[in-house]
Amino acid sequence: MATFKGLAMKKIGEIGWVEKEVPKIGPLDAIVRPTCVSPCTSDIHTVWEGAIGERTDMILGHEAVGVVEEVGSEVKMVKPGDKVIVPAITPDWDDEAAQRGYPSQTTEPLGGWKFSNFKDGVFGERFHVNMADANLALMPEGLSDAGATMLVDMWSTGMMGSENADIPLGGSVLVIGIGAVGLSAIAGAKLLGAGRLFAAGTRPISVEVAQKYGATDIINYKEGPIDEQVRELTDGAGVDSVIIAGGNLTNTWGEAIRSAKAGGTVSNVNYLSGADNVAIPREDWGCGMSNINIKNGLCPGGRVRMERLADLALCGRADPELLVTHEFKGLDKVEDALLLMKDKPKDLIKPVVYIDE
């Protein structure tokens, strides 16, 4: 039986290399060999915070592009040798939730998130993709591996935050947290017609990219509560839409709600961990009757989503490679890149690891 190696979560708080059998595929599935991968803050939450519970010898990673190695008998749109963009979320498109318009939640809550959650992820020499025709997008000419890898989760998640935020044309938007997801939310908000666009964060490299993506005002949360600064800058009015892409469970949700206008929307794309409950201030939320709406969702996946995001990049609407600050070469460097993401130095947004084709 053929085997491959990958970087796995051994248990909560521990990672290590493992050897596994190459997965078998069904008639609709594929095996892909990664050529570029990127660790995510979600991997950090999963391993070192136990955010989704114990996982044993589960290969990590859910951001990749690669080359198709094998396909099932009924796969029609991709073939061995094709370069593909692999979305972080690979739903079961025949599931009832997908038919109702929520493919990321197929089979169970967060069920579309399979890599490094329910099954081995992409930080190995091979990985399995379910429903390949619906979940793999052919790599277009003109898009780099690094840029494409930023689409599969960072752009898809951040821009979903903007899509869920009900941004009116010319409306004001606050994005809390300007890591890779928050920056992608800024890019999405601009594309959706935001007028004044506030970005709450402090790291110089992120501030620079936020301004390139369309932020008009930078909020330094170290200088006082975010909501107070937003209210001061808007003459007390607040903003039409708030996107939570970072922060903590103690203060951030209150600051978001206090920043929003009546009828506004708070859209969360932050992977919540570290506590059992979210602190939503009852009175600031109008005892639950303020007409400030709260929305959330899991990163959209699937082939069409990847194709559309690739078109945004290829048409020059925004540059996904602006998120990439560190590059590594070789599968063995995935561990270094993951630990870099855990340490989060000030010059980091996202690392990528190139794996020999």
Side-chain angles (χ1 to χ4, degrees):
M1 179 68 69
T3 63
F4 72 103
K5 71 174 183 178
L7 182 66
M9 174 179 175
K10 305 289 289 181
K11 62 181 181 179
I12 292 175
E14 182 181 336
I15 60 173
W17 293 91
V18 296
E19 190 88 8
K20 294 198 172 186
E21 293 182 355
V22 174
K24 295 179 180 179
I25 60 172
L28 299 176
D29 305 336
I31 298 295
V32 175
R33 174 171 47 86
T35 59
C36 185
V37 300
S38 181
C40 179
T41 304
S42 298
D43 297 310
I44 309 306
H45 293 316
T46 296
V47 176
W48 283 281
E49 297 177 12
I52 55 174
E54 191 66 82
R55 299 291 190 274
T56 303
D57 289 343
M58 180 188 67
I59 294 176
L60 294 162
H62 51 264
E63 300 179 25
V65 299
V67 175
V68 176
E69 289 282 295
E70 181 184 358
V71 298
S73 60
E74 296 183 24
V75 174
K76 298 180 176 65
M77 299 187 67
V78 296
K79 63 184 184 303
D82 283 343
K83 190 72 167 288
V84 289
I85 303 172
V86 186
I89 304 303
T90 55
D92 298 291
W93 291 95
D94 56 356
D95 185 76
E96 177 263 356
Q99 294 185 40
R100 290 190 292 108
Y102 300 97
S104 297
Q105 312 297 336
T106 51
T107 70
E108 62 182 277
L110 309 186
W113 171 26
K114 301 182 187 305
F115 296 132
S116 68
N117 183 9
F118 301 124
K119 72 176 186 180
D120 287 327
V122 303
F123 291 169
E125 294 171 314
R126 301 288 188 275
F127 59 88
H128 173 276
V129 180
N130 63 296
M131 303 192 81
D133 281 340
N135 283 321
L136 293 176
L138 293 172
M139 183 82 156
E141 291 186 13
L143 189 61
S144 70
D145 276 22
T149 305
M150 293 302 101
L151 306 183
V152 304
D153 186 358
M154 300 300 96
W155 262 32
S156 190
T157 298
M159 292 187 182
M160 177 198 67
S162 296
E163 291 166 299
N164 284 348
D166 300 324
I167 300 168
L169 184 64
S172 52
V173 179
L174 165 65
V175 177
I176 299 177
I178 52 174
V181 169
L183 293 170
S184 301
I186 292 167
K190 179 183 177 182
L191 290 169
L192 290 170
R196 198 168 184 186
L197 185 43
F198 299 88
T202 61
R203 288 191 295 166
I205 184 66
S206 293
V207 168
E208 179 183 346
V209 176
Q211 291 171 327
K212 288 180 179 179
Y213 273 172
T216 59
D217 298 76
I218 303 298
I219 302 291
N220 185 338
Y221 60 82
K222 295 179 181 179
E223 296 178 355
I226 293 169
D227 56 290
E228 292 181 7
Q229 295 185 63
V230 168
R231 290 285 178 180
E232 182 177 353
L233 290 168
T234 58
D235 296 324
V239 295
D240 295 293
S241 304
V242 181
I243 302 164
I244 301 176
N248 59 65
L249 300 185
T250 304
N251 301 320
T252 301
W253 284 74
E255 291 177 319
I257 287 168
R258 289 190 293 271
S259 296
K261 296 177 179 178
T265 298
V266 174
S267 171
N268 180 68
V269 287
N270 194 23
Y271 181 175
L272 304 179
S273 65
D276 291 333
N277 297 292
V278 176
I280 297 177
R282 180 183 62 84
E283 291 188 8
D284 292 330
W285 198 29
C287 302
M289 298 178 287
S290 63
N291 285 111
I292 296 174
N293 303 301
I294 296 176
K295 292 186 177 182
N296 67 88
L298 175 63
C299 166
R303 173 176 57 83
V304 172
R305 178 72 170 184
M306 296 302 105
E307 291 172 343
R308 288 178 172 174
L309 293 179
D311 280 347
L312 286 178
L314 291 170
C315 293
R317 304 303 186 194
D319 182 1
E321 276 200 71
L322 293 178
L323 302 178
V324 178
T325 55
H326 293 67
E327 297 180 330
F328 296 83
K329 292 185 178 180
L331 180 64
D332 60 331
K333 295 297 184 182
V334 170
E335 185 172 1
D336 292 341
L338 179 63
L339 294 174
L340 183 73
M341 202 72 191
K342 179 175 181 285
D343 293 340
K344 285 192 175 177
K346 290 184 178 180
D347 62 343
L348 173 73
I349 299 178
K350 282 283 285 186
V352 295
V353 183
Y354 299 105
I355 301 169
D356 295 337
E357 294 196 26

